[in-house]
Amino acid sequence: MSSAMPPVSMPPPSARSPRDTIPGRRLTALGSRELDVQPKVGLGAALALGLALGRERLFRRPTALSALLGAALVIVGAVIERRAGAAGAVDRALSGNFRLVIPLVAFGVAAEASGRGNLRESVWPIARYGASRREVALGLVAMAMVVSMGLGALFAVSSVMLAQGPGEPPLLRDAFQCAWIGALTASAYTAWFSLGATFWKRGRGRWIPLVADFLVGGSAGLVGALLPRSNAQNLLGGAGAMHLSQPASSGILLGSAVILTFVAALRCRR
Amino acid sequence: MSLAAPAQDGQPGPEGRPGAASPRPMLVLEQVHARDAAGPHGRARGSITELSMAIGQGIHVVLGAPEDGTLALLDVVTGVRPPLRGKVSINGSDPMETPSVRARLGALAAEPHLPPAPSVGASIRLALRARGEVGHRFDAVLDPLGLSALHARSVRKLSFAEARAVELALALTTPAPLVIALHEPLSDVAVPNLHLIQERLRELASARICVLCTTSSPADALALADRVHVLHRGFLVREVGGDGRGLGYGGLAELIAWIAAPSAEADRGLHATSGEAARALAAAISRASGVRGVSWEEGRPFASRVRVQGDSAEACADALIDAAAETGVTIEAITQGAPDLTEVRAMTDARMRGRTFPLRGAPLPMAPLLSPPFSPPSGPPGPSSNAPREARSAVSSLPSPPARSPVEDGGPLGRPRSIPAPSMNDEMEMPRPAPVATGPQAAPSPGPPRGPILPAPPMLPNIAEPRAASGPEAGALDPAAPPSPTVNEGER
C-alpha cells in the first residue's frame, strides 16, 4: 500500500486569484453566478464592438484579394493611358479609376463587412449578447468606410503617379487632391451600399445603388446629382449634374456618406 | 457551486434582480404568429400559429420537430426576428427591441453564431463585452464545461458541435439571467459530460430563473423538464408533467436496464452471455409486484437490455434492484424509457381527432392565463415595459379573440362540428388552443421537481391529463387503447 500523501500546500485565500484552481475543488464545478445586473453597454462600447467586428471581417484574404485586383487594374490602366499619350493621361486614368475600380472595390468592402448578408443580421453575433444593433452597425459601417477611403485614396494617388507626364499639374498637389477626392467618393459609395444591404434577404439590396450608379449615375439630372459618380466627375474637373459647383458636389458626397450611414444603422433596429 | 440566493425585495424589472418574492411569468407570448428561416434559401421550415404561453421559473421543454415550429418559437423568444403577429415579452420588454433584455437572455440557437474573432477566447471576450462584463474571464466560461481545449482554436475551424458547445457555455454563464432559451441542449454539443448541463439547468431553475428548451427528443425532454409542452404543427396543443405521463400511449413509467457480458471468469459461472443474464433478470422481474410489463432484448455484440414498465419509476427501480440481487446480474446502466416523437405525434393526433370543437369564430371563453399563485404585479409598470394593458392590470386572462363573421368561416354560427385531422397544407381549422398556464405551485425541491398538472379550462376539452379508464364519454379517447390505424405522422 502507498504511504500517506503529504499535505497539500495551498496559498492563503488572500493570495489566490479567481483563476487559481483550489485543490479539492472539482475541475468541472460550475462557478457561482452573481445575480447583479451588469451595466448597460454604452454607445462607445457598442461602436468599438462594431469596429472590432468590421476589422475581423475585413482584414482577411477576400478583402486583400479585392484590393490587389483593384490595384492591378489601376496600375494597368495608368500605364496604358500613359503610353497612349502623355497629354491628359492622368485625367483619363483617373476617369477609368473612378468609374470602375473605386465603385467595385467599395462594393466588395461593404459586402465583406456585412458578411455578404443583410446588415441587420450581420451584427447579430454581437447584438445577441446585449449590444444595440444600431450602434454595432454604425461601428461596422464606419470600419468599412475607413477601409474604402484608404483604398480609394491609394488608387487615386497611384493613378496620378503612374500616369504623370509633362504638362500635368504639380505631382504632390495633384496627388493630394485626388487622394481626398478618392477617399470621399469611396466613403459615399460605401454608405450607399451599406444602406442597400439593409434591404431584402442576404442584403441583395446593395446591388440596387451599384446598378443605378452604373446606369444613371453620370446623368445630368437629379438622380445623377444624388449618386456619387457625377459628383466625383465634377470634383475631378469634369461636368457635374445640374451644373453643381465643386463645393456643392463635395457637400453631397460628404452628406451622403454621413446621412446614409445613419439611416442604414437606424434600419437595423435596436 | 450553488447560485447565490435571489433577492427577496422589490419587484423584478429590467434593471432589478430576478426572483421577486411573488413569482410572475418571465416569458409571455400572446397570439404569436412566426416563421423561421431555417429552410433552404432562407425559406421557412416551420411556423407557429396563434401561440400563447406564459411561463415562469422552472425548466419548460417544448417538444416538437423544427417543422412544428420549435425554431420559429426560439427565434421570437431570443429576438432573432420579430413575430409576424402578436407580442413577445420577457419581463415586460420585447427582446427584439431591448438590448438590456438580450444581455440577460442566455440563448443557444440551432445554428451557432459566435462573434467572429481570431480565436475562441477572443470571441468570448467580445461576447462578454457585449453583455457589459469586463475582465478576462473567458476561462470561467469554458472551464466549467470542460471546454478549455477550445480556447486557442480558431472560431472558423470549430466543428458544428464545438461551436454550439461554446455558445452553450456562454448561455449558461449569462449574468443575472431572466430567461435561458436553448435549442437541443443535449444534442450535438461537444460537451464531454452532458450531466453538467442538466445540473446547471437545475441550478438555474432552483434560482427562480425561467429555462425554456426546445427539442425533438422526448427522452431529452423528460430528462430535463419540469413541464413538457407539446408543439404540434405550430400549435401548442398539450402539456404534461416532467414524468412524461400521457406523452405517449403508455401511461406507465418505464426503465431500461443495460447488461454487458460478464468479463471475469468468476462472473461467467452464473451467466455466460449478456443475453442469458437479461433473460434471467427479466424472469425475476416478472414476479415482482408493481411491475406491469417486462421485456428483454439480446444485443450482439453490444449490451443486452431489459425494459421494465410499472406504476412508477420507483416501483420499476425497486424491481430491478431486487431482481439483480436475486440473479447476480450486474446492471451497467439504467435509463428512463421514453416514447419516440412519432408516438407522441400519434397520441396528439388521436386526441385531437377524438374531440369535437365549437365552430371557429365563436368567441371562446379563455381560461385564466395563469393559475394561482401567479399574482398580478402590484406596482406600476416600468417605463420600458411594453406589456399589454391586460397583463399589467390583471395577469389572469388573455383578451378575448376577435369575433369573426360567419361568412368568413363559411358556416352558420353555433353549430358544433367535428374537425378532421389536419394536414400540413391545410388552412388551420383547429380551434385556438387554450393558453398554457404553467408554473410550479411551490418552489422546486431537490431532485427532479415535477410541477402539477393544471386544471383544464372549463369550455375546452381536457387534453392535459390522461383520461381515467371510466365509462365512455362522447369523443373520449382511451390513452391505453392501441393507436388508430389512420395515424401516420412523419418522422421527426
Side-chain angles (χ1 to χ4, degrees), chain B residues 24-369:
Chain B
R24 66 174 203 171
M26 201 58 69
L27 171 63
V28 178
L29 284 80
E30 294 180 45
Q31 307 277 316
V32 170
H33 293 247
R35 283 197 293 258
D36 59 42
H41 307 294
R43 292 197 200 108
R45 190 173 168 191
S47 61
I48 51 177
T49 306
E50 289 192 5
L51 192 145
S52 297
M53 69 191 300
I55 56 175
Q57 65 193 57
I59 303 179
H60 301 267
V61 175
V62 175
L63 175 63
E67 289 75 15
D68 292 317
T70 51
L71 298 182
L73 172 64
L74 215 65
D75 281 353
V76 295
V77 167
T78 56
V80 173
R81 67 191 82 254
L84 299 172
R85 267 187 296 190
K87 280 186 181 170
V88 179
S89 60
I90 292 178
N91 205 29
S93 301
D94 184 356
M96 179 81 186
E97 297 292 339
T98 315
S100 57
V101 166
R102 292 200 299 271
R104 298 172 67 189
L105 171 60
L108 174 65
E111 291 280 336
H113 289 286
L114 286 171
S119 67
V120 170
S123 179
I124 290 175
R125 269 192 286 268
L126 283 177
L128 296 181
R129 278 169 61 190
R131 293 204 293 218
E133 294 180 86
V134 293
H136 303 280
R137 289 181 49 250
F138 54 83
D139 56 341
V141 172
L142 294 179
D143 286 356
L145 287 180
L147 301 174
S148 313
L150 298 180
H151 155 241
R153 294 266 305 274
S154 165
V155 174
R156 280 184 217 102
K157 292 190 177 151
L158 290 177
S159 68
F160 182 81
E162 287 168 341
R164 288 195 86 229
V166 174
E167 270 203 9
L168 178 62
L170 280 166
L172 294 179
T173 51
T174 303
L178 293 171
V179 172
I180 304 289
L182 309 174
H183 177 73
E184 302 281 7
L186 301 182
S187 171
D188 226 348
V189 279
V191 172
N193 187 357
L194 290 178
H195 284 292
L196 287 174
I197 302 172
Q198 297 182 40
E199 267 182 40
R200 182 59 176 177
L201 292 177
R202 287 267 156 248
E203 211 174 284
L204 290 166
S206 300
R208 300 186 182 182
I209 289 156
C210 175
V211 179
L212 174 71
C213 299
T214 58
T215 181
S216 56
S217 164
D220 287 354
L222 296 179
L224 289 173
D226 298 332
R227 309 291 303 171
V228 179
H229 310 267
V230 178
L231 191 62
H232 186 70
R233 292 177 177 169
F235 288 91
L236 208 62
V237 291
R238 61 193 182 107
E239 175 190 337
V240 300
D243 58 2
R245 283 176 180 267
L247 196 58
Y249 274 99
L252 302 172
E254 184 181 72
L255 292 183
I256 303 173
W258 299 86
I259 300 146
S263 54
E265 281 299 330
D267 293 341
R268 286 207 182 115
L270 283 171
H271 309 287
T273 64
S274 64
E276 286 183 20
R279 189 195 300 262
L281 189 67
I285 290 171
S286 64
R287 295 189 290 271
S289 61
V291 170
R292 300 282 173 238
V294 60
S295 65
W296 61 272
E297 298 159 35
E298 184 173 346
R300 290 185 183 183
F302 303 113
S304 300
R305 61 184 180 184
V306 173
R307 289 177 183 268
V308 183
Q309 292 177 333
D311 295 327
S312 66
E314 288 78 13
C316 297
D318 289 340
L320 266 172
I321 292 167
D322 292 341
E326 180 187 326
T327 56
V329 171
T330 303
I331 297 176
E332 292 284 322
I334 299 177
T335 60
Q336 187 176 8
D340 60 18
L341 191 64
T342 309
E343 186 180 336
V344 173
R345 285 173 180 274
M347 176 64 154
T348 306
D349 273 339
R351 286 186 170 223
M352 292 174 75
R353 274 200 311 277
R355 298 290 185 266
T356 58
F357 298 104
L359 185 68
R360 183 177 67 133
L364 295 171
M366 285 299 200
L369 178 63

Side-chain angles (χ1 to χ4, degrees), chain A residues 18-19 21 25-41 44-45 48-49 52-53 55-57 60 120-122 124-134 201-202 204 268-270, chain B residues 1-6 15-18 41-42 78-80 82 96-97 99-100 102-104 107 113-118 126-127 129-133 137 139 143-144 156 167 170 173-176 196 200:
Chain A
R19 296 170 66 171
T21 300
R25 180 182 179 219
R26 284 188 295 134
L27 283 175
T28 52
L30 290 164
S32 64
R33 300 295 310 155
E34 298 90 358
L35 290 180
D36 289 329
V37 177
Q38 301 297 309
K40 281 184 189 174
V41 175
L49 287 167
L53 183 63
R55 185 178 62 237
E56 177 58 29
R57 284 193 179 139
R60 288 174 55 200
R120 183 189 310 150
E121 290 166 11
S122 73
W124 179 245
I126 299 282
R128 63 180 293 193
Y129 292 108
S132 168
R133 283 184 178 94
R134 283 177 192 157
K201 286 181 188 175
R202 303 178 64 85
R204 290 194 178 111
C268 290
R269 303 174 77 156
R270 293 186 66 217
Chain B
M1 186 184 134
S2 61
L3 287 167
E15 302 305 320
R17 288 168 176 254
H41 307 294
T78 56
V80 173
M96 179 81 186
E97 297 292 339
S100 57
R102 292 200 299 271
R104 298 172 67 189
H113 289 286
L114 286 171
L126 283 177
R129 278 169 61 190
R131 293 204 293 218
E133 294 180 86
R137 289 181 49 250
D139 56 341
D143 286 356
R156 280 184 217 102
E167 270 203 9
L170 280 166
T173 51
T174 303
L196 287 174
R200 182 59 176 177

Side-chain angles (χ1 to χ4, degrees), chain A residues 53-227:
Chain A
L53 183 63
R55 185 178 62 237
E56 177 58 29
R57 284 193 179 139
L58 289 172
F59 290 9
R60 288 174 55 200
R61 196 179 302 170
T63 311
L65 287 176
S66 301
L68 277 175
L69 183 62
L73 287 172
V74 165
I75 292 168
V76 166
V79 168
I80 289 174
E81 296 298 342
R82 182 72 175 87
R83 291 199 174 179
V90 171
D91 289 339
R92 293 193 302 273
L94 284 173
S95 176
N97 191 358
F98 276 74
R99 268 193 227 150
L100 189 66
V101 179
I102 288 181
L104 291 178
V105 170
F107 181 84
V109 167
E112 281 298 322
S114 62
R116 300 184 192 177
N118 188 292
L119 183 66
R120 183 189 310 150
E121 290 166 11
S122 73
V123 300
W124 179 245
I126 299 282
R128 63 180 293 193
Y129 292 108
S132 168
R133 283 184 178 94
R134 283 177 192 157
E135 292 161 10
V136 176
L138 205 56
L140 185 64
V141 175
M143 176 54 79
M145 209 169 272
V146 165
V147 172
S148 297
M149 289 168 71
L151 290 174
L154 180 66
F155 295 157
V157 168
S158 303
S159 292
V160 169
M161 294 182 71
L162 291 171
Q164 184 77 11
E168 298 286 357
L171 177 63
L172 281 179
R173 194 189 75 182
D174 206 15
F176 176 74
Q177 278 185 334
C178 293
W180 74 257
I181 294 171
L184 192 59
T185 306
S187 68
Y189 275 121
T190 305
W192 273 106
F193 300 142
S194 297
L195 177 62
T198 61
F199 292 91
W200 299 340
K201 286 181 188 175
R202 303 178 64 85
R204 290 194 178 111
R206 70 171 68 89
W207 287 94
I208 300 296
L210 181 69
V211 171
D213 189 67
F214 273 105
L215 292 179
V216 297
S219 65
L222 179 63
V223 175
L226 293 175
L227 291 170

